[in-house]
Amino acid sequence: MISLGITEILSKLGFGASFLTNSFLIYLTIFHVRKIYGTYKQMIVYFAISGILLTGLEPIARPFCHNFNGSLIYFSVGTLDLPQFTVQLILSIWAGFYLQTISFISIQFYYRYLCFFDVKKAKSFGGLKTVLWIGYPLIIGASYSTFIFLFSIPDTYSDDYMRLIIIRKLCTYFSLRSEIFNIYELEITERPRFDVVFYDAEGNIRIRSLCFTVSSISMITVHYIVILYCGIRMHLNMKRELKKFSAPQRKLQRQFFHALIAQCSGPTLFLVLPAAPILLTPILSPIVDISVSWRTGWFYSIVGLYPPFDSIAYMVIVTEYKKVIRNILKRPSLICGGKHPIERTSKTSSSNQKT
């Protein structure tokens, strides 16, 4: 059995990797990259910061999850001496970053879509309206966190149900060289947690659990529909629409599109796909009459991989980042503000040159 302490190590490593790669991306974007400016530059910085915050909350929240038949418990295995409500709040905020990330990716796809098909509308993303596209993902994330509190706060029935499993046979990590497996019992009512028990004692669907599941799946699905629609339309019409741009801009626009696909792949692989069995098992397990007792919280260990994955993919795909990195390696003085050899693209160029 793998020690639970490994999740703490992985979450800290994830935060370290996320902080370094995203900070480097932010630094390059703000101070060195010249062909990306305006709204899209702000979006890159925003996305990088949200990745740092997500992985930064994980070592504090120490989220874990256990699926047992028709139930799901989302709880903290952290050891910080904090009030239970505070840890619950951190757990809900951490979960809210799931939806915030997906919603913001859908905004990026929509923005790139407008850059192809309606430049005038794309310009509306700038100025004071920046608050709208920054605020929308925050509202979505906050809404999901609120739904968790409304529909998943523990009650007497869910506690009695979950007390049957008490999360036995968990283990504790003591050192890097050795793992000491220590079986212990955990009184579930003492842990900061959220419960989803889909059916009551008579086999009827519990409305609060249904509301949580439907709201979760709906919010994810709606944003993925936007991503798929915009992505497919851009892919099918890219050759025609790129004729509006100059040769250098055509190459850059293709790179932006490919980078956006990579940015979508990261959260899909590390956030959405692992969450699917966690959310659906409480519904399907009783229907197909299969007994389930899964430590699905191990999936959370890979969440910290997506921010560095996205940042590295972006810097690899967009050529200017690679050029800037090469120049910095050749001339370290650039880090301290030396003059960059890459000429800044004029902001007074025609509107169809803008990113």
Side-chain angles (χ1 to χ4, degrees):
M1 186 184 297
I2 304 175
S3 169
L4 270 181
I6 291 181
T7 63
E8 182 178 8
I9 295 174
L10 291 176
S11 65
K12 290 179 179 179
L13 288 175
F15 171 65
S18 174
F19 181 81
L20 291 175
T21 55
N22 282 285
S23 296
F24 188 54
L25 176 64
I26 292 170
Y27 167 73
L28 294 181
T29 303
I30 294 176
F31 296 106
H32 291 280
V33 172
R34 308 304 184 189
K35 294 181 181 179
I36 302 174
Y37 45 83
T39 300
Y40 197 50
K41 173 174 282 193
Q42 294 170 348
M43 287 184 172
I44 294 171
V45 173
Y46 179 103
F47 195 67
I49 291 174
S50 67
I52 294 174
L53 292 176
L54 171 65
T55 53
L57 276 177
E58 188 176 354
I60 300 173
R62 294 293 308 282
F64 205 79
C65 193
H66 193 98
N67 282 80
F68 179 72
N69 295 338
S71 66
L72 158 68
I73 179 171
Y74 171 57
F75 63 105
S76 172
V77 294
T79 57
L80 293 178
D81 186 17
L82 295 173
Q84 188 172 106
F85 176 80
T86 301
V87 180
Q88 283 181 312
L89 182 62
I90 296 173
L91 282 172
S92 67
I93 292 173
W94 186 83
F97 269 101
Y98 270 73
L99 269 299
Q100 186 211 22
T101 299
I102 296 169
S103 63
F104 186 65
I105 291 174
S106 70
I107 288 177
Q108 289 189 79
F109 266 89
Y110 182 60
Y111 175 71
R112 299 311 312 174
Y113 173 84
L114 292 179
C115 288
F116 272 87
F117 298 103
D118 197 333
V119 177
K120 290 183 179 180
K121 286 186 178 179
K123 289 181 179 180
S124 67
F125 274 68
L128 294 176
K129 292 185 178 179
T130 299
V131 177
L132 296 179
W133 63 258
I134 289 179
Y136 176 76
L138 296 177
I139 292 173
I140 294 298
S143 298
Y144 187 64
S145 298
T146 302
F147 290 155
I148 291 176
F149 264 99
L150 287 176
F151 304 130
S152 303
I153 203 74
D155 58 15
T156 303
Y157 178 79
S158 63
D159 277 346
D160 289 342
Y161 185 92
M162 296 307 298
R163 197 176 282 113
L164 296 174
I165 55 172
I166 308 299
I167 316 303
R168 296 177 183 271
K169 297 182 181 180
L170 299 180
C171 46
T172 309
Y173 182 82
F174 286 94
S175 69
L176 289 173
R177 295 185 178 181
S178 64
E179 295 177 359
I180 300 177
F181 295 92
N182 185 28
I183 300 175
Y184 66 93
E185 293 185 353
L186 185 66
E187 175 50 53
I188 205 62
T189 57
E190 297 177 358
R191 305 303 304 175
R193 71 210 178 277
F194 295 100
D195 300 333
V196 176
V197 180
F198 207 77
Y199 301 95
D200 61 22
E202 298 177 355
N204 299 315
I205 295 176
R206 302 181 78 213
I207 299 300
R208 54 181 295 184
S209 297
L210 177 65
C211 290
F212 170 75
T213 305
V214 170
S215 62
S216 300
I217 295 175
S218 298
M219 293 173 78
I220 293 173
T221 302
V222 167
H223 290 100
Y224 264 92
I225 289 174
V226 174
I227 291 171
L228 289 173
Y229 175 79
C230 294
I232 292 172
R233 283 290 308 276
M234 284 190 288
H235 176 71
L236 294 177
N237 297 279
M238 182 174 291
K239 187 174 182 179
R240 183 188 67 197
E241 296 300 325
L242 284 178
K243 292 179 181 179
K244 302 176 184 177
F245 300 90
S246 64
Q249 282 290 316
R250 288 174 195 167
K251 182 179 180 181
L252 190 61
Q253 292 294 336
R254 286 195 186 94
Q255 291 172 2
F256 286 157
F257 178 72
H258 294 151
L260 204 54
I261 297 297
Q263 281 187 313
C264 180
S265 301
T268 301
L269 292 174
F270 300 123
L271 297 182
V272 178
L273 292 182
I278 295 175
L279 292 174
L280 295 177
T281 298
I283 305 174
L284 300 178
S285 175
I287 294 176
V288 297
D289 195 24
I290 295 178
S291 296
V292 169
S293 183
W294 296 338
R295 293 178 178 86
T296 42
W298 291 108
F299 284 128
Y300 294 153
S301 300
I302 66 173
V303 168
L305 297 177
Y306 107 78
F309 171 88
D310 275 10
S311 296
I312 292 172
Y314 197 88
M315 289 185 283
V316 168
I317 293 171
V318 180
T319 303
E320 190 178 5
Y321 282 95
K322 291 188 288 186
K323 290 181 179 178
V324 168
I325 293 172
R326 289 194 201 102
N327 288 329
I328 288 176
L329 292 175
K330 292 178 182 177
R331 297 173 54 189
S333 61
L334 291 173
I335 297 178
C336 300
K339 188 175 180 181
H340 206 284
I342 298 179
E343 294 295 329
R344 183 179 182 85
T345 302
S346 175
K347 291 187 179 182
T348 59
S349 58
S350 60
S351 60
N352 66 351
Q353 300 285 326
K354 290 191 175 183
T355 59

